[in-house]
Amino acid sequence: MPEPGVKYQFVETTWAGAVGDLTGKKVIPRGDEIEITGSLPVKGDVVATGFTVLKWREKIVDFSTPTFPTQIWLVTQTDSSLCPIKPSGTIDADIAAVKQQLKGKSVLGMADTCLDPNLYGMKEAGASMVNFTMTMNALVPAVINSDADTTILEVPDALTALQKWPGKIKIIGPLSPLQYMACAFDKNSPELRDEFNRFFEKCKKDGTYLGLIKKYYPLVLDYYPEFFQVSDSK
């Protein structure tokens, strides 16, 4: 919800272009490192969508306090031969169990985003990678349409997909440890980041934030209840 006296302007960007549009720097991720290869026009002051905190991104932007928990999950058609894993209680073991099923399977992902299969050892697991060039919202329909054996999704998108396409997809298990989403700011804008953090804390304390979660992502409360405990208290 907007703060009184604050005017917001929406600036359209892409996942691959968001960092450059925010910082004015052309950045190429190299694993957890980055290479700055040039300059770009600055188009906005904050990336306010669900932007996952990744090590390479932390080198070029400042993140707010976490706004949402997430993980990378492997998703496939309901009739796939892949089987959902039985949680072991250890995330590394769970990830290994998912990867064991990937040999010879194709994984649909998006290069230079948090859905890049190269970030999660898919090739080393024996999977082939299929780069997707449409929007993230089209990943699940592509898998349902058998354009690839599997895809990887972040938790919010996976939960939405389960509700949107009931009975057509299943979650095999995690391919990453617990991650967090946050808003991103240019490193030269610490005051703006701090002001957002104060605003976000206010929204959590007055129940605004939890109300939005219950409206748009109610299932996440079952998967990550600990993250929302503070939001649930007044």
Side-chain angles (χ1 to χ4, degrees):
M1 59 184 290
E3 283 284 77
V6 177
K7 181 179 179 181
Y8 296 92
Q9 178 182 354
F10 172 72
V11 179
E12 188 171 1
T13 187
T14 64
W15 291 110
V19 169
D21 290 343
L22 177 69
T23 64
K25 297 179 177 66
K26 187 174 182 180
V27 177
I28 299 176
R30 307 287 190 191
D32 291 340
E33 303 299 323
I34 59 171
E35 178 183 354
I36 298 175
T37 60
S39 299
L40 296 167
V42 173
K43 296 183 179 180
D45 300 303
V46 55
V47 179
T49 55
F51 208 52
T52 303
V53 179
L54 300 174
K55 288 182 179 179
W56 74 263
R57 287 176 176 169
E58 289 181 300
K59 291 180 168 59
I60 190 67
V61 304
D62 277 345
F63 282 101
S64 68
T65 54
T67 58
F68 205 89
T70 190
Q71 277 181 302
I72 298 297
W73 286 352
L74 185 71
V75 178
T76 188
Q77 294 182 32
T78 301
D79 59 0
S80 168
S81 61
L82 277 68
C83 298
I85 67 162
K86 182 178 180 180
S88 67
T90 304
I91 186 60
D92 289 343
D94 290 349
I95 292 172
V98 174
K99 288 183 176 181
Q100 284 176 0
Q101 301 189 60
L102 278 172
K103 187 173 182 180
K105 302 295 183 181
S106 56
V107 181
L108 200 61
M110 302 181 73
D112 300 327
T113 72
C114 60
L115 297 183
D116 188 337
N118 291 307
L119 295 174
Y120 309 104
M122 303 292 92
K123 185 176 180 181
E124 292 77 4
S128 60
M129 285 152 284
V130 180
N131 188 41
F132 195 64
T133 56
M134 297 175 67
T135 66
M136 287 186 179
N137 291 335
L139 283 166
V140 169
V143 169
I144 293 174
N145 195 44
S146 300
D147 292 344
D149 296 317
T150 67
T151 188
I152 55 177
L153 291 177
E154 290 188 287
V155 165
D157 293 325
L159 296 178
T160 300
L162 286 170
Q163 293 176 301
K164 190 172 183 179
W165 291 283
K168 293 185 179 293
I169 60 171
K170 59 185 177 182
I171 309 298
I172 303 305
L175 285 167
S176 78
L178 180 63
Q179 298 174 319
Y180 295 99
M181 292 178 172
C183 292
F185 301 83
D186 184 77
K187 285 187 175 291
N188 293 318
S189 301
E191 296 90 353
L192 182 60
R193 177 206 61 207
D194 292 346
E195 188 60 36
F196 172 82
N197 285 341
R198 286 189 286 269
F199 167 72
F200 184 55
E201 187 62 27
K202 175 175 175 284
C203 289
K204 289 195 291 183
K205 288 181 177 179
D206 67 18
T208 300
Y209 174 63
L210 188 62
L212 292 171
I213 295 300
K214 289 180 177 179
K215 181 177 181 179
Y216 293 106
Y217 297 106
L219 291 179
V220 77
L221 298 171
D222 296 328
Y223 286 90
Y224 305 102
E226 299 85 2
F227 183 86
F228 299 97
Q229 284 179 353
V230 175
S231 301
D232 205 12
S233 61
K234 297 183 181 180

